[in-house]
Structures are given as C-alpha cells and as structure tokens.
Amino acid sequence: MKIEFKEYQLALNYPFKIADYTRTSTPLVFVHLSDEGIEGIGEASMPPYLGENIETAFAFLEKVKIDRFSSIEEILKVVDAIADGNNAVKAAVDIALHHWYCKKHNIPLYKYFQSDPANMPYTSFTLGIDTKEVLKEKIKDADPFHRIKIKLGSENDKEIINTIRSISNKEIVVDANRGWKNKEEAAAMIDWLASKNCLFVEQPMPVDQFEDMLWLKSRSALPLFADESCKRLKDIELVKDGFHGINIKLMNSTGLHEAQKMINKARELNLQLMIGCMSESSCGILAAAALAPQCDYADLDSPWMVSNNPFENPVLKDGKIELLD
Ligand code: MG
C-alpha cells in the first residue's frame, strides 16, 4: 500500500479556552493509503497539550511500511509497535485503513462495526466560556443541537452555568477538564449542577487524584466520565471504580479498532459510554460517528466549530449525525 501524508491547520471559529489553556487552530495530518486503485483517508488531530505535532507525526509515518494488505488487525499491531504514544497519528493510519477496506468491500463503516443507526445519540455542542453578551451570540450556533456542552473548572463555574441558564433551557453536559482539585467542593458543585438540568460531568478531577475519585463517585449526584484518565483499552481497568463511564476518543484510542474493543470492555464492566473528539474535520468525526450508536452519549461537534473543514460537514438531523450508506 502506498502511504502519503500532509499537514493542515484547522482554524477554530472562536479561540478555545479550557481550564488551563487557549488556542485558535489545531494542527492536523491527513494520511492517504492507496492500493488497487482505492484510496482511504485518515486524520490525526494534535492539540499541542497532548504532545504530538506535525514533526512527530511525519517522523512516525516515515516508519510505517505496509507491503500488502493482510488484515486490519495485523497491520495495526505492527503500527502500534513502532513506538509508544503517538496515539493520534496511529489513529490516522487506523481510520485510513478502515476507510480503504470499507470502500473496497463497498460497505458503510457503521455496518462494518455492526452499529445500528436507530441508536444514534444526540451530539452535544460545546459552548466556549465567554461574557453573557458574546454567549448570547454564540448560543445561536447551538440551535441545531439538543444538548450543550460546557467546559468548567475555573473560579466562576456557577456564574457560567447561570449565564447559560438565563438564555437556554437545553440539557447541559459538563466537562470540568481536571479543573476541580478538592473533592468536597467538587461534590457540592455536582449537587448544584444536578439541580440545573446537567446530565453528567466529565473528568472532574486531575488524573492523579484517583483516591478522591473513588470517594466522589460514591456520593456523586451525577454520572462521572473519565476522559484524560482513560485513553486506551488498558486504562479501563484502572478507572472502572472511580468513574461511572468513559469518554472514548479516536485520537486517544489509536483509532477505531481499539475503540471498538474499549466499547466492548466497558459494556462488560457496566460502564456508560460516550464518544468524543478533538478538533477534527469530518474525516475523524464521521469515523467516530460510525461507533456512536454503540455509545450512550456523543460529543462529535468539531466540524461546526471550525471555519475551514476541508470536507463537507456531516449531515445533522434532529440533533444527531446521520449515518449515510
Ligand atoms: Mg474532556
């Protein structure tokens, strides 16, 4: 198989602020795999705080040699063994491989994974933290979506929620992005959020405060989802007692193949599931959408948050991404 790759800067509509960090664009690498006249495309999205970048991705891809197509599993095993980490660029290869395989066999990706489109969850739409005046404008972008995602984890969390609640009654999902350091305060905040029609909280505390998460889970008024605490299959055993569910992202899981294994494992352990994303184009988002019907929640909003998606945006119907044959 021939492998080619190129870089792309995905420009955000609004500077993106989370608990400890702000940015205006996200570096991507697109991977093109071709063989037998068929081309598969994959994507790596690399927000700088995750440690990958264009240079590390290119250096990794120089080492990927696929002499001939054997099986997806076999190829990905070899790719994963090239080096530790590099999860996003591994995902790019994985997505391109699945794209190629499904095109060759003329089968939609969601059917390959035996996902039932009837079970597609709503996709939440992330509203960045801002002043009430700006939020009143921004909230119009959330019109086609049924759920709003809010990033908390700063001094004025209640003020942010109250501001949103003064302009919208939509269900809110909260991502604290490791921003709460004190378990009692986190528990009190979660009680309050539950009274404000919030559905769950993602990554309330830092990854290393696992003992606090055991306590918090035991008395939390809302389900708690692991994001930064659970990136790959091997992490699920470590977080299963501290969280009610996990957020799977292809850029963390090294792609679809391992994401499906994570879904199966999480179900075995009675964990809830959400599928999320980094700042990705439609390439990564449509790949994740193929697994979304197997999850309880979806957070696949990035194509609607960028100004230069090089592909068409996914089709959104009744707040859900439509899976096309
Ligand atoms: Mg998160």
Side-chain angles (χ1 to χ4, degrees), residues 149 151 175-177 202-203 227-228 247 249 299:
K149 178 168 174 173
K151 302 277 193 178
D175 187 354
N177 268 112
E202 199 182 317
Q203 197 70 38
D227 180 7
E228 287 82 358
N247 181 6
K249 292 176 177 167
D299 178 35

Side-chain angles (χ1 to χ4, degrees), residues 66-307:
I66 308 170
D67 297 332
R68 55 169 192 92
F69 183 83
S70 46
S71 74
I72 289 176
E73 174 134 34
E74 218 168 282
I75 292 169
L76 292 178
K77 214 169 140 187
V78 174
V79 169
D80 194 27
I82 290 174
D84 286 341
N86 294 281
N87 295 359
V89 72
K90 287 174 183 174
V93 175
D94 166 288
I95 295 166
L97 260 181
H98 283 89
H99 188 211
W100 180 88
Y101 182 89
C102 289
K103 256 167 121 175
K104 178 177 157 74
H105 296 280
N106 199 23
I107 172 175
L109 190 59
Y110 76 87
K111 283 190 181 160
Y112 172 87
F113 284 108
Q114 299 179 316
S115 296
D116 180 354
N119 295 330
M120 179 62 88
Y122 294 123
T123 276
S124 52
F125 180 79
T126 305
L127 271 186
I129 298 163
D130 225 312
T131 62
K132 189 168 179 173
E133 283 60 42
V134 178
L135 274 170
K136 276 184 176 166
E137 277 306 304
K138 280 188 179 177
I139 202 139
K140 292 175 189 159
D141 298 343
D143 271 351
F145 298 85
H146 290 218
R147 280 182 192 144
I148 295 169
K149 178 168 174 173
I150 302 289
K151 302 277 193 178
L152 296 183
S154 66
E155 291 303 301
N156 46 355
D157 287 346
K158 284 192 180 177
E159 191 188 326
I160 291 162
I161 296 292
N162 284 331
T163 303
I164 300 293
R165 276 289 165 252
S166 71
I167 50 179
S168 172
N169 290 321
K170 287 185 183 183
E171 290 172 331
I172 294 174
V173 302
V174 167
D175 187 354
N177 268 112
R178 299 161 286 163
W180 301 336
K181 316 287 193 247
N182 177 294
K183 67 181 179 186
E184 283 88 5
E185 285 172 22
M189 180 60 77
I190 293 166
D191 286 344
W192 184 80
L193 291 170
S195 75
K196 296 286 172 187
N197 196 20
C198 295
L199 296 183
F200 62 79
V201 176
E202 199 182 317
Q203 197 70 38
M205 306 191 75
V207 174
D208 59 6
Q209 287 183 229
F210 188 71
E211 290 295 319
D212 290 337
M213 282 307 305
L214 295 176
W215 180 87
L216 191 60
K217 180 184 179 184
S218 71
R219 58 90 65 224
S220 179
L222 294 175
L224 307 174
F225 280 77
D227 180 7
E228 287 82 358
S229 290
C230 183
K231 297 188 169 183
R232 298 194 61 172
L233 181 64
K234 63 177 170 47
D235 301 325
I236 298 181
E237 282 290 341
L238 304 174
V239 302
K240 69 180 196 308
D241 297 326
F243 295 85
H244 302 88
I246 59 169
N247 181 6
I248 295 176
K249 292 176 177 167
L250 298 187
M251 297 301 138
N252 286 337
S253 71
T254 69
L256 291 155
H257 183 74
E258 187 158 322
Q260 177 67 77
K261 290 187 174 176
M262 291 175 78
I263 289 171
N264 299 346
K265 177 81 179 173
R267 288 293 179 214
E268 253 173 62
L269 296 169
N270 278 323
L271 289 169
Q272 296 180 49
L273 280 159
M274 66 180 289
I275 189 152
C277 61
M278 304 297 178
S279 281
E280 296 165 32
S281 76
S282 298
C283 176
I285 292 300
L286 286 172
L291 290 175
Q294 301 183 40
C295 302
D296 305 295
Y297 301 99
D299 178 35
L300 301 173
D301 56 357
S302 64
W304 292 275
M305 304 182 70
V306 300
S307 56

